[in-house]
Amino acid sequence: MLSKFLLIISLFFVLTDFYQSSTAYAFTFINFYVDSFEDTFSYPKEGIVVIPNGKIKLSVLEEYSYLNKNIRI
């Protein structure tokens, strides 16, 4: 009886862990600009927040090329 209970509990935790790890990085990024240094600017599609008065809040991910990193430093 105890072994069945432990088996069910451990199966529950394994499935829960698998589900969380598969949905943790579910953001789809949309690229909206690539400059002359091949730097990419994008935002997460699911991360858009609509604020009252018709404003939109979003976070931007900036990925700089090796050349532009050296120029900025």
Side-chain angles (χ1 to χ4, degrees), residues 11-36:
L11 183 62
F12 171 76
F13 284 116
V14 167
L15 290 176
T16 304
D17 184 49
F18 176 74
Y19 175 75
Q20 289 178 351
S21 65
S22 66
T23 59
Y25 301 102
F27 278 130
T28 302
F29 285 90
I30 298 175
N31 296 341
F32 66 89
Y33 182 70
V34 177
D35 67 5
S36 60

PDB file of all heavy atoms in Angstrom, residues 11-36:
ATOM      1  N   LEU A  11       5.362   9.869  -9.377  1.00  0.00           N
ATOM      2  CA  LEU A  11       4.894  10.071 -10.748  1.00  0.00           C
ATOM      3  C   LEU A  11       4.285  11.460 -10.910  1.00  0.00           C
ATOM      4  O   LEU A  11       4.515  12.138 -11.915  1.00  0.00           O
ATOM      5  CB  LEU A  11       3.878   8.983 -11.110  1.00  0.00           C
ATOM      6  CG  LEU A  11       3.339   9.012 -12.532  1.00  0.00           C
ATOM      7  CD1 LEU A  11       4.471   8.808 -13.531  1.00  0.00           C
ATOM      8  CD2 LEU A  11       2.275   7.951 -12.716  1.00  0.00           C
ATOM      9  N   PHE A  12       3.538  11.893  -9.924  1.00  0.00           N
ATOM     10  CA  PHE A  12       2.953  13.231  -9.954  1.00  0.00           C
ATOM     11  C   PHE A  12       4.048  14.301 -10.045  1.00  0.00           C
ATOM     12  O   PHE A  12       3.966  15.227 -10.850  1.00  0.00           O
ATOM     13  CB  PHE A  12       2.088  13.452  -8.710  1.00  0.00           C
ATOM     14  CG  PHE A  12       1.618  14.863  -8.544  1.00  0.00           C
ATOM     15  CD1 PHE A  12       0.595  15.367  -9.323  1.00  0.00           C
ATOM     16  CD2 PHE A  12       2.217  15.698  -7.609  1.00  0.00           C
ATOM     17  CE1 PHE A  12       0.167  16.675  -9.184  1.00  0.00           C
ATOM     18  CE2 PHE A  12       1.796  16.999  -7.454  1.00  0.00           C
ATOM     19  CZ  PHE A  12       0.770  17.486  -8.238  1.00  0.00           C
ATOM     20  N   PHE A  13       5.081  14.182  -9.226  1.00  0.00           N
ATOM     21  CA  PHE A  13       6.156  15.174  -9.244  1.00  0.00           C
ATOM     22  C   PHE A  13       6.950  15.139 -10.543  1.00  0.00           C
ATOM     23  O   PHE A  13       7.351  16.180 -11.061  1.00  0.00           O
ATOM     24  CB  PHE A  13       7.085  14.985  -8.042  1.00  0.00           C
ATOM     25  CG  PHE A  13       6.497  15.499  -6.767  1.00  0.00           C
ATOM     26  CD1 PHE A  13       6.225  14.633  -5.728  1.00  0.00           C
ATOM     27  CD2 PHE A  13       6.191  16.841  -6.607  1.00  0.00           C
ATOM     28  CE1 PHE A  13       5.675  15.090  -4.544  1.00  0.00           C
ATOM     29  CE2 PHE A  13       5.635  17.313  -5.441  1.00  0.00           C
ATOM     30  CZ  PHE A  13       5.376  16.441  -4.401  1.00  0.00           C
ATOM     31  N   VAL A  14       7.155  13.971 -11.103  1.00  0.00           N
ATOM     32  CA  VAL A  14       7.873  13.866 -12.372  1.00  0.00           C
ATOM     33  C   VAL A  14       7.068  14.529 -13.489  1.00  0.00           C
ATOM     34  O   VAL A  14       7.607  15.300 -14.288  1.00  0.00           O
ATOM     35  CB  VAL A  14       8.170  12.384 -12.711  1.00  0.00           C
ATOM     36  CG1 VAL A  14       8.629  12.237 -14.147  1.00  0.00           C
ATOM     37  CG2 VAL A  14       9.202  11.829 -11.755  1.00  0.00           C
ATOM     38  N   LEU A  15       5.784  14.255 -13.545  1.00  0.00           N
ATOM     39  CA  LEU A  15       4.943  14.864 -14.580  1.00  0.00           C
ATOM     40  C   LEU A  15       4.823  16.373 -14.399  1.00  0.00           C
ATOM     41  O   LEU A  15       4.828  17.128 -15.373  1.00  0.00           O
ATOM     42  CB  LEU A  15       3.562  14.214 -14.590  1.00  0.00           C
ATOM     43  CG  LEU A  15       3.518  12.777 -15.086  1.00  0.00           C
ATOM     44  CD1 LEU A  15       2.110  12.217 -14.951  1.00  0.00           C
ATOM     45  CD2 LEU A  15       4.001  12.684 -16.510  1.00  0.00           C
ATOM     46  N   THR A  16       4.717  16.835 -13.167  1.00  0.00           N
ATOM     47  CA  THR A  16       4.648  18.268 -12.899  1.00  0.00           C
ATOM     48  C   THR A  16       5.933  18.957 -13.319  1.00  0.00           C
ATOM     49  O   THR A  16       5.911  20.020 -13.941  1.00  0.00           O
ATOM     50  CB  THR A  16       4.378  18.536 -11.407  1.00  0.00           C
ATOM     51  OG1 THR A  16       3.178  17.864 -11.036  1.00  0.00           O
ATOM     52  CG2 THR A  16       4.239  20.016 -11.130  1.00  0.00           C
ATOM     53  N   ASP A  17       7.071  18.348 -13.024  1.00  0.00           N
ATOM     54  CA  ASP A  17       8.361  18.912 -13.405  1.00  0.00           C
ATOM     55  C   ASP A  17       8.499  18.967 -14.919  1.00  0.00           C
ATOM     56  O   ASP A  17       8.965  19.950 -15.481  1.00  0.00           O
ATOM     57  CB  ASP A  17       9.492  18.098 -12.791  1.00  0.00           C
ATOM     58  CG  ASP A  17      10.836  18.710 -13.079  1.00  0.00           C
ATOM     59  OD1 ASP A  17      10.976  19.935 -12.867  1.00  0.00           O
ATOM     60  OD2 ASP A  17      11.737  17.985 -13.525  1.00  0.00           O
ATOM     61  N   PHE A  18       8.070  17.917 -15.613  1.00  0.00           N
ATOM     62  CA  PHE A  18       8.134  17.883 -17.066  1.00  0.00           C
ATOM     63  C   PHE A  18       7.258  18.973 -17.671  1.00  0.00           C
ATOM     64  O   PHE A  18       7.660  19.668 -18.594  1.00  0.00           O
ATOM     65  CB  PHE A  18       7.704  16.513 -17.590  1.00  0.00           C
ATOM     66  CG  PHE A  18       7.669  16.444 -19.084  1.00  0.00           C
ATOM     67  CD1 PHE A  18       8.839  16.377 -19.815  1.00  0.00           C
ATOM     68  CD2 PHE A  18       6.459  16.465 -19.756  1.00  0.00           C
ATOM     69  CE1 PHE A  18       8.806  16.329 -21.198  1.00  0.00           C
ATOM     70  CE2 PHE A  18       6.411  16.412 -21.130  1.00  0.00           C
ATOM     71  CZ  PHE A  18       7.591  16.342 -21.859  1.00  0.00           C
ATOM     72  N   TYR A  19       6.055  19.152 -17.153  1.00  0.00           N
ATOM     73  CA  TYR A  19       5.145  20.173 -17.675  1.00  0.00           C
ATOM     74  C   TYR A  19       5.716  21.570 -17.479  1.00  0.00           C
ATOM     75  O   TYR A  19       5.692  22.391 -18.378  1.00  0.00           O
ATOM     76  CB  TYR A  19       3.772  20.065 -17.006  1.00  0.00           C
ATOM     77  CG  TYR A  19       2.833  21.165 -17.420  1.00  0.00           C
ATOM     78  CD1 TYR A  19       2.245  21.151 -18.680  1.00  0.00           C
ATOM     79  CD2 TYR A  19       2.557  22.236 -16.580  1.00  0.00           C
ATOM     80  CE1 TYR A  19       1.393  22.156 -19.082  1.00  0.00           C
ATOM     81  CE2 TYR A  19       1.709  23.254 -16.972  1.00  0.00           C
ATOM     82  CZ  TYR A  19       1.133  23.214 -18.221  1.00  0.00           C
ATOM     83  OH  TYR A  19       0.310  24.222 -18.618  1.00  0.00           O
ATOM     84  N   GLN A  20       6.257  21.856 -16.311  1.00  0.00           N
ATOM     85  CA  GLN A  20       6.807  23.190 -16.042  1.00  0.00           C
ATOM     86  C   GLN A  20       8.022  23.471 -16.897  1.00  0.00           C
ATOM     87  O   GLN A  20       8.205  24.585 -17.371  1.00  0.00           O
ATOM     88  CB  GLN A  20       7.142  23.335 -14.565  1.00  0.00           C
ATOM     89  CG  GLN A  20       5.938  23.430 -13.684  1.00  0.00           C
ATOM     90  CD  GLN A  20       6.300  23.536 -12.214  1.00  0.00           C
ATOM     91  OE1 GLN A  20       7.450  23.367 -11.844  1.00  0.00           O
ATOM     92  NE2 GLN A  20       5.321  23.800 -11.386  1.00  0.00           N
ATOM     93  N   SER A  21       8.872  22.500 -17.109  1.00  0.00           N
ATOM     94  CA  SER A  21      10.064  22.736 -17.923  1.00  0.00           C
ATOM     95  C   SER A  21       9.712  22.905 -19.390  1.00  0.00           C
ATOM     96  O   SER A  21      10.410  23.609 -20.116  1.00  0.00           O
ATOM     97  CB  SER A  21      11.068  21.601 -17.743  1.00  0.00           C
ATOM     98  OG  SER A  21      10.529  20.406 -18.230  1.00  0.00           O
ATOM     99  N   SER A  22       8.630  22.299 -19.854  1.00  0.00           N
ATOM    100  CA  SER A  22       8.253  22.441 -21.258  1.00  0.00           C
ATOM    101  C   SER A  22       7.544  23.759 -21.530  1.00  0.00           C
ATOM    102  O   SER A  22       7.509  24.207 -22.665  1.00  0.00           O
ATOM    103  CB  SER A  22       7.373  21.273 -21.693  1.00  0.00           C
ATOM    104  OG  SER A  22       6.148  21.307 -21.010  1.00  0.00           O
ATOM    105  N   THR A  23       6.961  24.393 -20.522  1.00  0.00           N
ATOM    106  CA  THR A  23       6.260  25.654 -20.738  1.00  0.00           C
ATOM    107  C   THR A  23       7.027  26.859 -20.211  1.00  0.00           C
ATOM    108  O   THR A  23       6.561  27.974 -20.318  1.00  0.00           O
ATOM    109  CB  THR A  23       4.875  25.633 -20.057  1.00  0.00           C
ATOM    110  OG1 THR A  23       5.052  25.411 -18.665  1.00  0.00           O
ATOM    111  CG2 THR A  23       3.986  24.572 -20.661  1.00  0.00           C
ATOM    112  N   ALA A  24       8.206  26.653 -19.661  1.00  0.00           N
ATOM    113  CA  ALA A  24       8.940  27.761 -19.045  1.00  0.00           C
ATOM    114  C   ALA A  24       9.406  28.777 -20.080  1.00  0.00           C
ATOM    115  O   ALA A  24       9.431  29.974 -19.810  1.00  0.00           O
ATOM    116  CB  ALA A  24      10.125  27.222 -18.258  1.00  0.00           C
ATOM    117  N   TYR A  25       9.785  28.334 -21.259  1.00  0.00           N
ATOM    118  CA  TYR A  25      10.300  29.244 -22.279  1.00  0.00           C
ATOM    119  C   TYR A  25       9.372  29.260 -23.482  1.00  0.00           C
ATOM    120  O   TYR A  25       9.785  29.053 -24.606  1.00  0.00           O
ATOM    121  CB  TYR A  25      11.706  28.826 -22.686  1.00  0.00           C
ATOM    122  CG  TYR A  25      12.659  28.833 -21.525  1.00  0.00           C
ATOM    123  CD1 TYR A  25      13.028  27.652 -20.896  1.00  0.00           C
ATOM    124  CD2 TYR A  25      13.153  30.023 -21.034  1.00  0.00           C
ATOM    125  CE1 TYR A  25      13.891  27.667 -19.814  1.00  0.00           C
ATOM    126  CE2 TYR A  25      14.009  30.049 -19.952  1.00  0.00           C
ATOM    127  CZ  TYR A  25      14.371  28.863 -19.354  1.00  0.00           C
ATOM    128  OH  TYR A  25      15.216  28.879 -18.285  1.00  0.00           O
ATOM    129  N   ALA A  26       8.111  29.535 -23.251  1.00  0.00           N
ATOM    130  CA  ALA A  26       7.119  29.476 -24.309  1.00  0.00           C
ATOM    131  C   ALA A  26       6.971  30.790 -25.064  1.00  0.00           C
ATOM    132  O   ALA A  26       6.146  30.894 -25.950  1.00  0.00           O
ATOM    133  CB  ALA A  26       5.769  29.070 -23.732  1.00  0.00           C
ATOM    134  N   PHE A  27       7.753  31.808 -24.722  1.00  0.00           N
ATOM    135  CA  PHE A  27       7.654  33.084 -25.427  1.00  0.00           C
ATOM    136  C   PHE A  27       8.106  32.936 -26.866  1.00  0.00           C
ATOM    137  O   PHE A  27       9.096  32.300 -27.164  1.00  0.00           O
ATOM    138  CB  PHE A  27       8.512  34.156 -24.762  1.00  0.00           C
ATOM    139  CG  PHE A  27       7.871  34.800 -23.577  1.00  0.00           C
ATOM    140  CD1 PHE A  27       8.557  34.915 -22.387  1.00  0.00           C
ATOM    141  CD2 PHE A  27       6.592  35.311 -23.647  1.00  0.00           C
ATOM    142  CE1 PHE A  27       7.988  35.516 -21.287  1.00  0.00           C
ATOM    143  CE2 PHE A  27       6.009  35.919 -22.554  1.00  0.00           C
ATOM    144  CZ  PHE A  27       6.717  36.016 -21.377  1.00  0.00           C
ATOM    145  N   THR A  28       7.370  33.568 -27.756  1.00  0.00           N
ATOM    146  CA  THR A  28       7.755  33.659 -29.153  1.00  0.00           C
ATOM    147  C   THR A  28       8.220  35.079 -29.392  1.00  0.00           C
ATOM    148  O   THR A  28       7.473  36.027 -29.189  1.00  0.00           O
ATOM    149  CB  THR A  28       6.557  33.355 -30.069  1.00  0.00           C
ATOM    150  OG1 THR A  28       6.063  32.063 -29.755  1.00  0.00           O
ATOM    151  CG2 THR A  28       6.951  33.434 -31.513  1.00  0.00           C
ATOM    152  N   PHE A  29       9.474  35.231 -29.792  1.00  0.00           N
ATOM    153  CA  PHE A  29      10.020  36.561 -30.006  1.00  0.00           C
ATOM    154  C   PHE A  29       9.808  37.001 -31.442  1.00  0.00           C
ATOM    155  O   PHE A  29       9.967  36.223 -32.372  1.00  0.00           O
ATOM    156  CB  PHE A  29      11.516  36.579 -29.672  1.00  0.00           C
ATOM    157  CG  PHE A  29      11.784  36.563 -28.197  1.00  0.00           C
ATOM    158  CD1 PHE A  29      11.935  35.377 -27.514  1.00  0.00           C
ATOM    159  CD2 PHE A  29      11.858  37.740 -27.488  1.00  0.00           C
ATOM    160  CE1 PHE A  29      12.164  35.357 -26.151  1.00  0.00           C
ATOM    161  CE2 PHE A  29      12.093  37.738 -26.128  1.00  0.00           C
ATOM    162  CZ  PHE A  29      12.248  36.542 -25.457  1.00  0.00           C
ATOM    163  N   ILE A  30       9.438  38.272 -31.598  1.00  0.00           N
ATOM    164  CA  ILE A  30       9.225  38.858 -32.909  1.00  0.00           C
ATOM    165  C   ILE A  30      10.330  39.876 -33.147  1.00  0.00           C
ATOM    166  O   ILE A  30      10.495  40.829 -32.376  1.00  0.00           O
ATOM    167  CB  ILE A  30       7.848  39.537 -32.997  1.00  0.00           C
ATOM    168  CG1 ILE A  30       6.759  38.492 -32.795  1.00  0.00           C
ATOM    169  CG2 ILE A  30       7.691  40.256 -34.328  1.00  0.00           C
ATOM    170  CD1 ILE A  30       5.374  39.061 -32.752  1.00  0.00           C
ATOM    171  N   ASN A  31      11.103  39.667 -34.203  1.00  0.00           N
ATOM    172  CA  ASN A  31      12.156  40.617 -34.557  1.00  0.00           C
ATOM    173  C   ASN A  31      11.531  41.813 -35.260  1.00  0.00           C
ATOM    174  O   ASN A  31      10.749  41.652 -36.192  1.00  0.00           O
ATOM    175  CB  ASN A  31      13.184  39.967 -35.482  1.00  0.00           C
ATOM    176  CG  ASN A  31      13.928  38.840 -34.810  1.00  0.00           C
ATOM    177  OD1 ASN A  31      13.957  38.738 -33.597  1.00  0.00           O
ATOM    178  ND2 ASN A  31      14.523  37.979 -35.603  1.00  0.00           N
ATOM    179  N   PHE A  32      11.878  43.027 -34.797  1.00  0.00           N
ATOM    180  CA  PHE A  32      11.315  44.199 -35.450  1.00  0.00           C
ATOM    181  C   PHE A  32      12.377  45.104 -36.054  1.00  0.00           C
ATOM    182  O   PHE A  32      12.051  46.034 -36.773  1.00  0.00           O
ATOM    183  CB  PHE A  32      10.412  44.996 -34.494  1.00  0.00           C
ATOM    184  CG  PHE A  32      11.124  45.636 -33.327  1.00  0.00           C
ATOM    185  CD1 PHE A  32      11.654  46.906 -33.437  1.00  0.00           C
ATOM    186  CD2 PHE A  32      11.250  44.963 -32.126  1.00  0.00           C
ATOM    187  CE1 PHE A  32      12.296  47.498 -32.368  1.00  0.00           C
ATOM    188  CE2 PHE A  32      11.884  45.556 -31.048  1.00  0.00           C
ATOM    189  CZ  PHE A  32      12.422  46.823 -31.167  1.00  0.00           C
ATOM    190  N   TYR A  33      13.657  44.826 -35.793  1.00  0.00           N
ATOM    191  CA  TYR A  33      14.693  45.663 -36.383  1.00  0.00           C
ATOM    192  C   TYR A  33      16.030  44.943 -36.362  1.00  0.00           C
ATOM    193  O   TYR A  33      16.371  44.313 -35.374  1.00  0.00           O
ATOM    194  CB  TYR A  33      14.805  46.986 -35.616  1.00  0.00           C
ATOM    195  CG  TYR A  33      15.810  47.952 -36.171  1.00  0.00           C
ATOM    196  CD1 TYR A  33      15.576  48.591 -37.383  1.00  0.00           C
ATOM    197  CD2 TYR A  33      16.985  48.215 -35.501  1.00  0.00           C
ATOM    198  CE1 TYR A  33      16.499  49.479 -37.896  1.00  0.00           C
ATOM    199  CE2 TYR A  33      17.918  49.108 -36.013  1.00  0.00           C
ATOM    200  CZ  TYR A  33      17.663  49.733 -37.210  1.00  0.00           C
ATOM    201  OH  TYR A  33      18.579  50.604 -37.723  1.00  0.00           O
ATOM    202  N   VAL A  34      16.759  45.032 -37.455  1.00  0.00           N
ATOM    203  CA  VAL A  34      18.136  44.545 -37.539  1.00  0.00           C
ATOM    204  C   VAL A  34      18.944  45.679 -38.153  1.00  0.00           C
ATOM    205  O   VAL A  34      18.622  46.165 -39.238  1.00  0.00           O
ATOM    206  CB  VAL A  34      18.243  43.275 -38.413  1.00  0.00           C
ATOM    207  CG1 VAL A  34      19.692  42.839 -38.547  1.00  0.00           C
ATOM    208  CG2 VAL A  34      17.401  42.154 -37.844  1.00  0.00           C
ATOM    209  N   ASP A  35      19.984  46.139 -37.431  1.00  0.00           N
ATOM    210  CA  ASP A  35      20.750  47.276 -37.928  1.00  0.00           C
ATOM    211  C   ASP A  35      21.935  46.826 -38.782  1.00  0.00           C
ATOM    212  O   ASP A  35      22.093  45.649 -39.086  1.00  0.00           O
ATOM    213  CB  ASP A  35      21.196  48.182 -36.768  1.00  0.00           C
ATOM    214  CG  ASP A  35      22.199  47.529 -35.845  1.00  0.00           C
ATOM    215  OD1 ASP A  35      22.641  46.403 -36.131  1.00  0.00           O
ATOM    216  OD2 ASP A  35      22.539  48.149 -34.833  1.00  0.00           O
ATOM    217  N   SER A  36      22.769  47.787 -39.182  1.00  0.00           N
ATOM    218  CA  SER A  36      23.880  47.505 -40.092  1.00  0.00           C
ATOM    219  C   SER A  36      24.962  46.631 -39.463  1.00  0.00           C
ATOM    220  O   SER A  36      25.767  46.039 -40.171  1.00  0.00           O
ATOM    221  CB  SER A  36      24.494  48.820 -40.581  1.00  0.00           C
ATOM    222  OG  SER A  36      24.984  49.564 -39.477  1.00  0.00           O
TER     223      SER A  36
END
